[in-house]
Amino acid sequence: MQQQINSSATPPPGCPAHGNVQLFGPEFGADPEQHYAHLRSLGPSAPVDIAPDVQVELVTSYDAALHILQNPASFVRDSRRWNALNENRVPADSPALPMMGYRPNALFSDGAAHARLRQAVTDSLASIDELQLVRQTQQSADYLISQFASDIRGQADLMADYAQPLPLLVFSNLFGCPPEIGDRVIAGISGIFEGTPGADLVLGGALGELIALKHRQPGDDVTTRLMQHSAGLTDEEVLHQLVTLLSGGTAPLAAAIGTSSALYLSGDWQAGLPVEDAVVQTLWNYAPIANYAAHYPTHDVELGGRILRANDPVVISFAAANTDPKLTEHREQLSGKAHLAFGAGPHACPAKDPAFMIAVTAVEALLNRLPDVEMRVRFQDLAWVPAPWSRSLMSVPIRFTARSAPQPAAEGSADRQGFSPASASSAQHSAPAYRSAQSSAAPKAKSGLFSRFLAWTRGE
């Protein structure tokens, strides 16, 4: 057996006597670092089970990951090449399929098709006003804090009550959703990640209605910009790009906000350091998208003495690559943005700057609104979601002094009630399976999260 990183530790399942390392389940969720350390002892990559009966090659080396991400001639993203899938060796109900299965969006395209779709997405995001984004994030934070700040117990769950819903509110605003459609967009994307039956229909139907609405009433929003882009996207293509932005933006952002907040509040964090530093450390050490970006070699490739077969999936472990010991020895000499949390190469996240800004603003808002907030458990005792795709905390119990709920600020207020939008000046990937549907096929939520938020902003 390969040399262990810690000779006193029990090897994780997956040493040669037990088959592949399993990158899912409670044992992996309890100690992913030990799993990555064991895999590193096998070379720059090693075979793992990403889901039951689904094997992929996992890249844990920073240098090897960067090489693959920046080499689109030899490693492509089109999962229709996937050998095991084409040979019916992937279970039809596998949780890997929603994460790795092909969809006609920029994430799973290559060459000219990728360039066309990505340009439309990049240009549409580039026109977002930074100060407006900060205001939208602060307003969303205000609303969510208002829902739990007056709790006489002075307790809340930072993930469920704040980090998870906040990006959903921000994206619904960015997409230009009216209240009822925004409710169903949020219900649909949340349901997909929670495994709710029919959630794909809800999301597809809501986005289809949104696109139809923007044909009649264009607005200053991401949806309209995608529709009017010179790339000439079809309505179906617009829908797929919106789903990618939602799924690749909301869940990873929630993970980043939750982990950064918990890290900042932990006793291990040096008091007085800026929030931006906590977010950067989260991106380095707790990459929100942990293992993703499946690539398919166009030909057999040798990597560290192993042969990567053509069209067998090669998954990048952003989490392991960022914490590669060969890298951390020299990390002080690297740019703070040299981490791979947002990917690299032609498929690097096009929304990395807005995402960083939202995360920083959200953490600042929490600290400014609840200055005595603290965690009820130690950072090292927090539990992680036992899934391979993301590094997200399951729960972050917090306590604080109960106070009056914040009120919505006047329209156009730049710095809301003591908030400090310093992040404005400092400024995936995964798309779950869904099906488009007509509105009649999608159940309509009443008085959902987005409707309540908009009513609150109007003082209703």
Side-chain angles (χ1 to χ4, degrees), residues 219-259:
D220 182 18
D221 51 63
V222 171
T223 306
T224 300
R225 293 177 202 127
L226 279 171
M227 294 168 61
Q228 296 180 346
H229 193 271
S230 59
L233 272 60
T234 66
D235 286 357
E236 189 71 11
E237 287 176 326
V238 171
L239 189 148
H240 280 282
Q241 309 323 304
L242 290 176
V243 172
T244 303
L245 288 171
L246 267 176
S247 54
T250 56
L253 257 179
I257 292 168
T259 305

Side-chain angles (χ1 to χ4, degrees), residues 290-366:
N291 305 287
Y292 194 61
H295 289 69
Y296 300 85
T298 57
H299 53 87
D300 289 359
V301 177
E302 188 274 334
L303 180 70
R306 288 182 55 80
I307 299 298
L308 310 183
R309 287 186 56 220
N311 300 324
D312 279 352
V314 179
V315 170
I316 305 298
S317 179
F318 300 106
N322 277 351
T323 56
D324 185 342
K326 295 179 180 177
L327 175 69
T328 53
E329 294 172 2
H330 309 288
R331 210 162 78 179
E332 295 78 8
Q333 304 169 12
L334 297 173
S335 163
K337 297 181 179 181
H339 59 76
L340 298 181
F342 293 123
H347 282 88
C349 176
K352 58 181 181 297
D353 291 336
F356 185 82
M357 188 184 304
I358 292 170
V360 171
T361 303
V363 179
E364 287 178 343
L366 177 75

Side-chain angles (χ1 to χ4, degrees), residues 18-24 46-56 388:
H18 298 97
N20 291 343
V21 169
Q22 292 186 352
L23 232 64
F24 58 90
V48 302
D49 289 341
I50 202 81
D53 300 316
V54 179
Q55 177 178 302
V56 303

Side-chain angles (χ1 to χ4, degrees), residues 224-451:
T224 300
R225 293 177 202 127
L226 279 171
M227 294 168 61
Q228 296 180 346
H229 193 271
S230 59
L233 272 60
T234 66
D235 286 357
E236 189 71 11
E237 287 176 326
V238 171
L239 189 148
H240 280 282
Q241 309 323 304
L242 290 176
V243 172
T244 303
L245 288 171
L246 267 176
S247 54
T250 56
L253 257 179
I257 292 168
T259 305
S260 299
S261 299
L263 185 63
Y264 194 89
L265 295 172
S266 74
D268 298 332
W269 187 256
Q270 185 176 340
L273 288 179
V275 168
E276 286 91 338
D277 287 3
V279 176
V280 169
Q281 287 304 309
T282 293
L283 296 175
W284 271 110
N285 297 326
Y286 309 97
I289 300 177
N291 305 287
Y292 194 61
H295 289 69
Y296 300 85
T298 57
H299 53 87
D300 289 359
V301 177
E302 188 274 334
L303 180 70
R306 288 182 55 80
I307 299 298
L308 310 183
R309 287 186 56 220
N311 300 324
D312 279 352
V314 179
V315 170
I316 305 298
S317 179
F318 300 106
N322 277 351
T323 56
D324 185 342
K326 295 179 180 177
L327 175 69
T328 53
E329 294 172 2
H330 309 288
R331 210 162 78 179
E332 295 78 8
Q333 304 169 12
L334 297 173
S335 163
K337 297 181 179 181
H339 59 76
L340 298 181
F342 293 123
H347 282 88
C349 176
K352 58 181 181 297
D353 291 336
F356 185 82
M357 188 184 304
I358 292 170
V360 171
T361 303
V363 179
E364 287 178 343
L366 177 75
L367 299 173
N368 284 332
R369 282 288 173 227
L370 303 174
D372 63 347
V373 64
E374 60 183 14
M375 289 196 296
R376 292 158 52 199
V377 298
R378 299 183 306 166
F379 182 86
Q380 54 266 40
D381 293 333
L382 295 172
W384 300 94
V385 173
W389 317 106
S390 64
R391 187 73 190 274
S392 180
L393 290 164
M394 295 182 67
S395 175
V396 180
I398 58 173
R399 59 178 166 233
F400 48 86
T401 301
R403 63 203 71 223
S404 298
Q407 299 301 310
E411 182 72 20
S413 174
D415 186 5
R416 296 167 45 79
Q417 304 180 25
F419 279 81
S420 175
S423 56
S425 59
S426 66
Q428 70 185 90
H429 292 27
S430 62
Y434 70 96
R435 296 187 299 275
S436 180
Q438 298 300 318
S439 59
S440 60
K444 297 184 177 182
K446 293 182 179 180
S447 189
L449 175 62
F450 196 55
S451 287

Side-chain angles (χ1 to χ4, degrees), residues 44-45 59-77 293 295 297-304 306 308 314 316 318 321 324 338 340 343-347:
S45 72
V59 178
T60 57
S61 157
Y62 180 93
D63 289 340
L66 195 60
H67 170 74
I68 291 170
L69 291 167
Q70 295 180 334
N71 190 359
S74 296
F75 296 93
V76 298
R77 297 296 299 274
H295 289 69
T298 57
H299 53 87
D300 289 359
V301 177
E302 188 274 334
L303 180 70
R306 288 182 55 80
L308 310 183
V314 179
I316 305 298
F318 300 106
D324 185 342
L340 298 181
H347 282 88

